[in-house]
Amino acid sequence: MPASRAVRSWLPAAAAVFAAAWGANQFTPLAVVYRTQEHWPAVPVAAMFTTYLLGLLPGLMLGGPAADRLGRCLTVRPALALSAVASALLAAAPLSPNLVYVSRAATGFAAGVVLTAGTKWLRELSAAAGCADAGDRRATYATGGGFAAGAVTAGALAEWLPHPMVLPGLAHCLLVLLVLGATRRVPETAPMPGAAPVTSRAVELHRAVVRNRRFLWVVLPASPAVFGAATVAYVVLPPLVADRVPGYAPLFSGLVTALTLTMGIVAQPLAVWLDHAHSARATLAAMVTVIGGLAVGAFAAHRNSAGLVMAAAALLGAGYGLTLAAGLMEIERLVPPKAHPSTAVLYQGATYSGFLTPLLLALTAGAGTAPYPELLAGMAAVGLLCLAVTARHSRLSLP
Protein backbone atom coordinates (compact mmCIF):
# COMPACT_ATOMS: atom_id res chain seq x y z
CA MET A 1 0.00 0.00 0.00
CA PRO A 2 1.44 3.44 -0.91
CA ALA A 3 2.42 5.47 2.14
CA SER A 4 0.14 8.41 1.23
CA ARG A 5 -2.86 6.11 0.93
CA ALA A 6 -2.02 4.42 4.22
CA VAL A 7 -1.91 7.78 5.96
CA ARG A 8 -5.36 8.63 4.62
CA SER A 9 -6.71 5.18 5.57
CA TRP A 10 -6.12 5.18 9.29
CA LEU A 11 -8.16 8.35 9.85
CA PRO A 12 -11.52 6.80 8.84
CA ALA A 13 -10.74 3.76 11.00
CA ALA A 14 -10.06 6.09 13.93
CA ALA A 15 -13.34 7.86 13.14
CA ALA A 16 -15.15 4.52 13.36
CA VAL A 17 -13.77 3.92 16.85
CA PHE A 18 -14.59 7.54 17.77
CA ALA A 19 -18.20 7.18 16.55
CA ALA A 20 -18.76 3.92 18.46
CA ALA A 21 -17.44 5.49 21.67
CA TRP A 22 -19.62 8.57 21.04
CA GLY A 23 -22.74 6.40 20.89
CA ALA A 24 -21.72 4.47 24.00
CA ASN A 25 -21.50 7.57 26.19
CA GLN A 26 -24.26 9.84 24.88
CA PHE A 27 -26.66 8.27 27.38
CA THR A 28 -24.87 9.76 30.39
CA PRO A 29 -26.26 13.34 30.21
CA LEU A 30 -29.59 12.00 28.96
CA ALA A 31 -29.88 10.03 32.20
CA VAL A 32 -30.00 13.40 33.97
CA VAL A 33 -32.82 14.48 31.62
CA TYR A 34 -34.75 11.32 32.48
CA ARG A 35 -34.20 11.94 36.19
CA THR A 36 -34.79 15.71 36.40
CA GLN A 37 -37.21 16.50 33.56
CA GLU A 38 -39.05 13.23 32.96
CA HIS A 39 -38.92 12.24 36.66
CA TRP A 40 -38.01 8.62 36.01
CA PRO A 41 -36.98 6.77 39.22
CA ALA A 42 -33.28 6.43 39.98
CA VAL A 43 -33.16 2.61 39.96
CA PRO A 44 -34.62 2.10 36.43
CA VAL A 45 -32.33 4.80 35.03
CA ALA A 46 -29.30 3.13 36.66
CA ALA A 47 -30.51 -0.23 35.29
CA MET A 48 -30.73 1.31 31.81
CA PHE A 49 -27.14 2.45 32.14
CA THR A 50 -26.01 -0.98 33.33
CA THR A 51 -27.83 -2.81 30.52
CA TYR A 52 -25.01 -1.53 28.31
CA LEU A 53 -22.77 -4.08 30.02
CA LEU A 54 -24.96 -6.98 28.88
CA GLY A 55 -24.15 -6.13 25.28
CA LEU A 56 -20.61 -4.90 25.79
CA LEU A 57 -19.09 -8.10 27.16
CA PRO A 58 -20.27 -10.35 24.29
CA GLY A 59 -19.16 -7.63 21.85
CA LEU A 60 -15.69 -7.56 23.36
CA MET A 61 -15.39 -11.35 23.24
CA LEU A 62 -16.72 -11.72 19.70
CA GLY A 63 -15.20 -8.62 18.08
CA GLY A 64 -11.65 -9.95 17.84
CA PRO A 65 -12.47 -13.44 16.50
CA ALA A 66 -15.01 -11.97 14.05
CA ALA A 67 -12.42 -9.49 12.78
CA ASP A 68 -9.95 -12.33 12.22
CA ARG A 69 -12.47 -14.57 10.50
CA LEU A 70 -14.47 -12.05 8.43
CA GLY A 71 -11.98 -9.22 8.13
CA ARG A 72 -11.74 -5.86 9.89
CA CYS A 73 -13.96 -3.95 7.47
CA LEU A 74 -16.79 -6.51 7.38
CA THR A 75 -16.84 -6.56 11.16
CA VAL A 76 -16.56 -2.86 11.97
CA ARG A 77 -19.02 -1.44 9.44
CA PRO A 78 -22.05 -3.63 10.34
CA ALA A 79 -21.38 -3.02 14.04
CA LEU A 80 -21.32 0.73 13.37
CA ALA A 81 -24.65 0.42 11.57
CA LEU A 82 -26.04 -1.38 14.62
CA SER A 83 -24.81 1.51 16.78
CA ALA A 84 -26.85 3.90 14.61
CA VAL A 85 -29.94 1.70 14.93
CA ALA A 86 -29.46 1.68 18.70
CA SER A 87 -29.31 5.49 18.71
CA ALA A 88 -32.52 5.63 16.67
CA LEU A 89 -34.17 3.44 19.31
CA LEU A 90 -32.87 5.78 21.99
CA ALA A 91 -34.44 8.71 20.14
CA ALA A 92 -37.74 6.81 20.15
CA ALA A 93 -37.64 6.43 23.96
CA PRO A 94 -40.46 9.01 24.48
CA LEU A 95 -42.78 6.48 22.79
CA SER A 96 -41.77 3.65 25.14
CA PRO A 97 -39.16 3.79 27.95
CA ASN A 98 -38.51 0.07 27.44
CA LEU A 99 -36.82 0.90 24.16
CA VAL A 100 -33.95 2.37 26.18
CA TYR A 101 -33.06 -1.09 27.51
CA VAL A 102 -32.93 -2.52 23.97
CA SER A 103 -30.95 0.50 22.80
CA ARG A 104 -28.41 0.24 25.58
CA ALA A 105 -27.80 -3.49 25.04
CA ALA A 106 -27.39 -2.98 21.28
CA THR A 107 -25.12 0.02 21.86
CA GLY A 108 -22.94 -2.03 24.19
CA PHE A 109 -22.63 -4.90 21.72
CA ALA A 110 -21.79 -2.57 18.84
CA ALA A 111 -19.25 -0.67 20.95
CA GLY A 112 -17.58 -3.88 22.10
CA VAL A 113 -17.20 -5.15 18.53
CA VAL A 114 -15.98 -1.83 17.09
CA LEU A 115 -13.58 -1.05 19.93
CA THR A 116 -12.00 -4.50 19.61
CA ALA A 117 -11.99 -4.97 15.84
CA GLY A 118 -11.49 -1.27 15.13
CA THR A 119 -8.43 -1.13 17.36
CA LYS A 120 -6.89 -4.03 15.41
CA TRP A 121 -7.73 -2.29 12.14
CA LEU A 122 -6.29 1.01 13.32
CA ARG A 123 -3.14 -0.67 14.64
CA GLU A 124 -2.48 -2.41 11.32
CA LEU A 125 -3.28 0.64 9.20
CA SER A 126 -0.90 2.71 11.31
CA ALA A 127 1.80 0.10 10.84
CA ALA A 128 1.23 0.22 7.07
CA ALA A 129 1.69 3.99 7.23
CA GLY A 130 5.06 3.52 8.93
CA CYS A 131 3.84 4.35 12.44
CA ALA A 132 3.58 0.93 14.08
CA ASP A 133 3.93 2.36 17.58
CA ALA A 134 1.13 4.89 17.04
CA GLY A 135 -1.74 2.45 16.56
CA ASP A 136 -2.58 1.82 20.19
CA ARG A 137 -2.14 5.50 21.04
CA ARG A 138 -4.48 6.54 18.25
CA ALA A 139 -7.06 3.98 19.40
CA THR A 140 -6.84 5.33 22.94
CA TYR A 141 -7.32 8.91 21.81
CA ALA A 142 -10.18 7.97 19.45
CA THR A 143 -11.95 6.03 22.20
CA GLY A 144 -11.48 8.67 24.89
CA GLY A 145 -12.31 11.49 22.50
CA GLY A 146 -15.49 9.74 21.39
CA PHE A 147 -16.59 9.10 24.97
CA ALA A 148 -16.04 12.75 25.88
CA ALA A 149 -17.49 14.25 22.69
CA GLY A 150 -20.61 12.08 22.87
CA ALA A 151 -21.35 13.18 26.41
CA VAL A 152 -20.67 16.89 25.83
CA THR A 153 -22.62 17.04 22.57
CA ALA A 154 -25.60 15.15 23.96
CA GLY A 155 -25.57 17.41 27.03
CA ALA A 156 -25.42 20.56 24.91
CA LEU A 157 -28.20 19.40 22.57
CA ALA A 158 -30.38 18.40 25.50
CA GLU A 159 -29.69 21.74 27.18
CA TRP A 160 -30.24 24.24 24.40
CA LEU A 161 -32.40 22.59 21.73
CA PRO A 162 -35.94 21.19 21.82
CA HIS A 163 -36.71 17.48 22.13
CA PRO A 164 -33.78 16.68 24.47
CA MET A 165 -34.53 12.94 24.42
CA VAL A 166 -34.62 12.76 20.62
CA LEU A 167 -32.01 15.00 19.00
CA PRO A 168 -28.86 13.51 20.62
CA GLY A 169 -29.64 10.06 19.23
CA LEU A 170 -30.39 11.46 15.78
CA ALA A 171 -27.14 13.44 15.82
CA HIS A 172 -25.22 10.23 16.44
CA CYS A 173 -27.08 8.50 13.59
CA LEU A 174 -25.90 11.27 11.26
CA LEU A 175 -22.32 10.93 12.49
CA VAL A 176 -22.37 7.16 11.88
CA LEU A 177 -23.69 7.63 8.34
CA LEU A 178 -20.81 9.99 7.59
CA VAL A 179 -18.26 7.55 9.03
CA LEU A 180 -19.75 4.62 7.12
CA GLY A 181 -19.27 6.62 3.94
CA ALA A 182 -15.68 7.45 4.89
CA THR A 183 -14.76 3.82 5.64
CA ARG A 184 -16.09 2.37 2.38
CA ARG A 185 -12.70 2.46 0.66
CA VAL A 186 -10.45 1.76 3.64
CA PRO A 187 -8.32 -1.31 2.78
CA GLU A 188 -8.68 -4.61 4.55
CA THR A 189 -5.70 -5.51 6.75
CA ALA A 190 -6.59 -8.95 8.11
CA PRO A 191 -3.81 -11.34 6.98
CA MET A 192 -6.07 -14.25 6.05
CA PRO A 193 -9.79 -13.69 6.78
CA GLY A 194 -11.39 -16.92 7.85
CA ALA A 195 -8.22 -18.51 9.22
CA ALA A 196 -7.98 -17.53 12.86
CA PRO A 197 -9.38 -20.25 15.12
CA VAL A 198 -8.96 -20.04 18.83
CA THR A 199 -6.00 -22.29 19.65
CA SER A 200 -5.59 -24.47 22.69
CA ARG A 201 -2.38 -22.54 23.38
CA ALA A 202 -4.38 -19.30 23.72
CA VAL A 203 -6.85 -20.98 26.08
CA GLU A 204 -3.97 -22.29 28.19
CA LEU A 205 -2.45 -18.81 28.39
CA HIS A 206 -5.75 -17.33 29.57
CA ARG A 207 -6.10 -20.01 32.22
CA ALA A 208 -2.54 -19.42 33.37
CA VAL A 209 -3.20 -15.69 33.73
CA VAL A 210 -6.41 -16.22 35.70
CA ARG A 211 -4.64 -18.62 38.08
CA ASN A 212 -1.54 -16.46 38.47
CA ARG A 213 -1.17 -15.18 42.03
CA ARG A 214 -0.12 -11.76 40.86
CA PHE A 215 -3.28 -11.47 38.75
CA LEU A 216 -5.42 -12.63 41.67
CA TRP A 217 -3.88 -10.43 44.38
CA VAL A 218 -2.54 -7.37 42.51
CA VAL A 219 -4.44 -6.91 39.26
CA LEU A 220 -7.89 -8.24 40.15
CA PRO A 221 -8.50 -6.23 43.38
CA ALA A 222 -7.92 -2.99 41.48
CA SER A 223 -9.80 -3.87 38.28
CA PRO A 224 -13.35 -2.87 39.37
CA ALA A 225 -11.99 0.55 40.30
CA VAL A 226 -11.34 1.36 36.62
CA PHE A 227 -14.94 1.89 35.57
CA GLY A 228 -16.24 2.05 39.12
CA ALA A 229 -14.34 5.33 39.48
CA ALA A 230 -15.47 6.63 36.09
CA THR A 231 -19.15 5.80 36.55
CA VAL A 232 -19.28 7.26 40.05
CA ALA A 233 -17.83 10.48 38.62
CA TYR A 234 -20.18 10.97 35.69
CA VAL A 235 -23.25 8.82 36.45
CA VAL A 236 -23.70 8.93 40.22
CA LEU A 237 -22.48 12.39 41.27
CA PRO A 238 -24.03 14.87 38.77
CA PRO A 239 -27.70 14.03 39.53
CA LEU A 240 -27.00 14.46 43.26
CA VAL A 241 -26.20 18.16 42.75
CA ALA A 242 -28.62 18.87 39.86
CA ASP A 243 -30.46 21.44 42.01
CA ARG A 244 -27.21 23.43 42.33
CA VAL A 245 -27.11 23.96 38.54
CA PRO A 246 -30.78 24.70 37.80
CA GLY A 247 -31.53 24.70 34.12
CA TYR A 248 -28.07 23.37 33.23
CA ALA A 249 -28.12 19.83 34.63
CA PRO A 250 -27.67 17.98 31.28
CA LEU A 251 -24.83 20.27 30.19
CA PHE A 252 -23.19 19.99 33.61
CA SER A 253 -23.38 16.19 33.39
CA GLY A 254 -21.75 16.27 29.95
CA LEU A 255 -18.95 18.52 31.18
CA VAL A 256 -18.31 16.29 34.21
CA THR A 257 -18.12 13.29 31.86
CA ALA A 258 -15.69 15.07 29.56
CA LEU A 259 -13.52 16.14 32.50
CA THR A 260 -13.45 12.59 33.87
CA LEU A 261 -12.42 11.01 30.58
CA THR A 262 -9.94 13.74 29.70
CA MET A 263 -8.20 13.27 33.02
CA GLY A 264 -8.17 9.54 32.33
CA ILE A 265 -6.29 10.07 29.07
CA VAL A 266 -3.90 12.63 30.57
CA ALA A 267 -3.06 10.36 33.52
CA GLN A 268 -2.09 7.28 31.52
CA PRO A 269 1.46 8.45 30.64
CA LEU A 270 1.99 8.99 34.38
CA ALA A 271 1.18 5.33 34.96
CA VAL A 272 3.86 4.40 32.41
CA TRP A 273 6.37 6.58 34.28
CA LEU A 274 5.43 5.01 37.63
CA ASP A 275 5.40 1.44 36.37
CA HIS A 276 8.10 -0.89 37.67
CA ALA A 277 8.44 -4.61 37.03
CA HIS A 278 9.44 -5.42 40.62
CA SER A 279 6.68 -3.58 42.44
CA ALA A 280 3.09 -2.49 41.92
CA ARG A 281 3.65 1.20 42.57
CA ALA A 282 1.64 2.31 39.51
CA THR A 283 -1.35 0.26 40.65
CA LEU A 284 -0.97 1.45 44.25
CA ALA A 285 -0.80 5.10 43.18
CA ALA A 286 -3.89 4.56 41.02
CA MET A 287 -5.86 3.05 43.90
CA VAL A 288 -4.88 5.87 46.24
CA THR A 289 -6.12 8.37 43.64
CA VAL A 290 -9.46 6.55 43.30
CA ILE A 291 -9.89 6.40 47.07
CA GLY A 292 -9.20 10.13 47.30
CA GLY A 293 -11.75 10.79 44.56
CA LEU A 294 -14.39 8.73 46.37
CA ALA A 295 -13.72 10.63 49.59
CA VAL A 296 -14.10 13.98 47.81
CA GLY A 297 -17.23 12.65 46.11
CA ALA A 298 -18.73 11.68 49.45
CA PHE A 299 -18.00 15.18 50.77
CA ALA A 300 -19.47 16.71 47.61
CA ALA A 301 -22.69 14.73 48.07
CA HIS A 302 -22.81 15.70 51.74
CA ARG A 303 -22.29 19.41 51.01
CA ASN A 304 -24.39 19.35 47.81
CA SER A 305 -21.57 21.14 46.00
CA ALA A 306 -21.24 21.21 42.20
CA GLY A 307 -17.67 22.53 42.52
CA LEU A 308 -16.65 19.58 44.69
CA VAL A 309 -18.26 17.22 42.18
CA MET A 310 -15.95 18.64 39.52
CA ALA A 311 -12.96 18.14 41.85
CA ALA A 312 -14.04 14.55 42.57
CA ALA A 313 -14.48 13.92 38.84
CA ALA A 314 -10.94 15.13 38.17
CA LEU A 315 -9.51 12.76 40.79
CA LEU A 316 -11.71 9.82 39.81
CA GLY A 317 -10.89 10.37 36.14
CA ALA A 318 -7.17 10.36 36.89
CA GLY A 319 -7.66 7.21 38.98
CA TYR A 320 -9.56 5.58 36.12
CA GLY A 321 -6.72 6.27 33.66
CA LEU A 322 -3.97 5.24 36.08
CA THR A 323 -5.69 2.00 37.10
CA LEU A 324 -6.47 1.00 33.51
CA ALA A 325 -2.93 1.63 32.27
CA ALA A 326 -1.28 0.02 35.30
CA GLY A 327 -3.40 -3.12 34.96
CA LEU A 328 -2.64 -3.48 31.26
CA MET A 329 1.09 -3.18 31.91
CA GLU A 330 0.87 -5.85 34.63
CA ILE A 331 -0.96 -8.13 32.18
CA GLU A 332 1.67 -7.57 29.48
CA ARG A 333 4.34 -8.94 31.80
CA LEU A 334 2.37 -12.12 32.46
CA VAL A 335 2.06 -13.36 28.86
CA PRO A 336 4.18 -13.48 25.68
CA PRO A 337 3.87 -10.45 23.34
CA LYS A 338 1.70 -12.28 20.77
CA ALA A 339 -0.92 -12.98 23.44
CA HIS A 340 -1.16 -9.35 24.64
CA PRO A 341 -4.27 -8.30 22.65
CA SER A 342 -6.46 -11.27 23.60
CA THR A 343 -5.31 -11.25 27.23
CA ALA A 344 -5.94 -7.50 27.45
CA VAL A 345 -9.58 -8.21 26.53
CA LEU A 346 -9.69 -10.69 29.42
CA TYR A 347 -8.48 -7.97 31.80
CA GLN A 348 -10.88 -5.40 30.38
CA GLY A 349 -13.74 -7.82 30.99
CA ALA A 350 -12.84 -7.74 34.69
CA THR A 351 -12.68 -3.94 34.71
CA TYR A 352 -16.18 -3.64 33.23
CA SER A 353 -17.62 -5.03 36.45
CA GLY A 354 -17.30 -1.42 37.64
CA PHE A 355 -20.26 -0.53 35.41
CA LEU A 356 -22.48 -2.21 38.00
CA THR A 357 -21.59 0.46 40.57
CA PRO A 358 -24.36 3.00 39.76
CA LEU A 359 -27.05 0.31 39.88
CA LEU A 360 -25.78 -1.15 43.17
CA LEU A 361 -25.63 2.31 44.74
CA ALA A 362 -29.12 3.20 43.47
CA LEU A 363 -30.58 -0.04 44.82
CA THR A 364 -28.90 0.42 48.20
CA ALA A 365 -29.89 4.08 48.54
CA GLY A 366 -33.41 3.34 47.30
CA ALA A 367 -33.83 0.67 49.96
CA GLY A 368 -33.07 3.26 52.61
CA THR A 369 -29.98 1.41 53.80
CA ALA A 370 -27.78 4.52 53.69
CA PRO A 371 -27.61 7.88 51.86
CA TYR A 372 -25.17 8.47 49.04
CA PRO A 373 -22.50 10.28 51.15
CA GLU A 374 -22.22 7.27 53.44
CA LEU A 375 -22.27 4.81 50.55
CA LEU A 376 -19.43 6.64 48.79
CA ALA A 377 -17.47 6.78 52.03
CA GLY A 378 -18.07 3.04 52.37
CA MET A 379 -16.70 2.49 48.86
CA ALA A 380 -13.60 4.42 49.88
CA ALA A 381 -13.22 2.13 52.89
CA VAL A 382 -13.52 -0.95 50.65
CA GLY A 383 -10.90 0.64 48.41
CA LEU A 384 -8.56 0.93 51.38
CA LEU A 385 -9.01 -2.79 52.08
CA CYS A 386 -8.22 -3.63 48.43
CA LEU A 387 -5.22 -1.29 48.62
CA ALA A 388 -3.91 -3.19 51.63
CA VAL A 389 -4.29 -6.52 49.81
CA THR A 390 -2.51 -5.23 46.72
CA ALA A 391 0.27 -3.62 48.77
CA ARG A 392 0.77 -6.86 50.70
CA HIS A 393 1.34 -8.82 47.48
CA SER A 394 3.00 -6.08 45.41
CA ARG A 395 6.48 -7.63 45.63
CA LEU A 396 5.35 -11.27 45.52
CA SER A 397 4.89 -13.54 42.50
CA LEU A 398 6.90 -11.18 40.34
CA PRO A 399 6.84 -11.96 36.59
Side-chain angles (χ1 to χ4, degrees), residues 19 22-23 25-27 29-30 34 82-94 103 107 150 153-155 157-158 162-177:
W22 175 306
N25 220 27
Q26 65 181 335
F27 180 79
L30 298 184
Y34 301 151
L82 176 62
S83 181
V85 171
S87 289
L89 292 175
L90 186 63
S103 169
T107 297
T153 304
L157 292 175
H163 309 297
M165 299 171 66
V166 176
L167 288 182
L170 296 182
H172 179 250
C173 289
L174 177 59
L175 172 67
V176 169
L177 290 176

Side-chain angles (χ1 to χ4, degrees), residues 31 46 72 148 166 176 182 186 202 284 300 363 378 380 392:
R72 285 34 167 162
V166 176
V176 169
V186 178
L284 296 174
L363 288 170
R392 170 68 179 82

Side-chain angles (χ1 to χ4, degrees), residues 233 237-246 248 252-253 255-256 259-260 263 292-293 295-316:
L237 292 178
L240 299 180
V241 297
D243 60 324
R244 304 299 294 176
V245 285
Y248 295 96
F252 176 74
S253 176
L255 292 175
V256 169
L259 173 63
T260 303
M263 289 299 297
V296 174
F299 191 54
H302 175 70
R303 295 295 299 270
N304 195 26
S305 168
L308 286 174
V309 165
M310 297 291 283
L315 278 172
L316 290 169

Side-chain angles (χ1 to χ4, degrees), residues 15-39:
V17 175
F18 178 90
W22 175 306
N25 220 27
Q26 65 181 335
F27 180 79
T28 303
L30 298 184
V32 177
V33 176
Y34 301 151
R35 289 282 307 277
T36 60
Q37 297 182 21
E38 302 297 320
H39 306 292

Side-chain angles (χ1 to χ4, degrees), residues 207-222:
R207 288 177 178 171
V209 169
V210 171
R211 294 170 181 170
N212 187 282
R213 290 179 60 84
R214 190 161 185 84
F215 179 82
L216 292 174
W217 298 108
V218 175
V219 178
L220 204 58

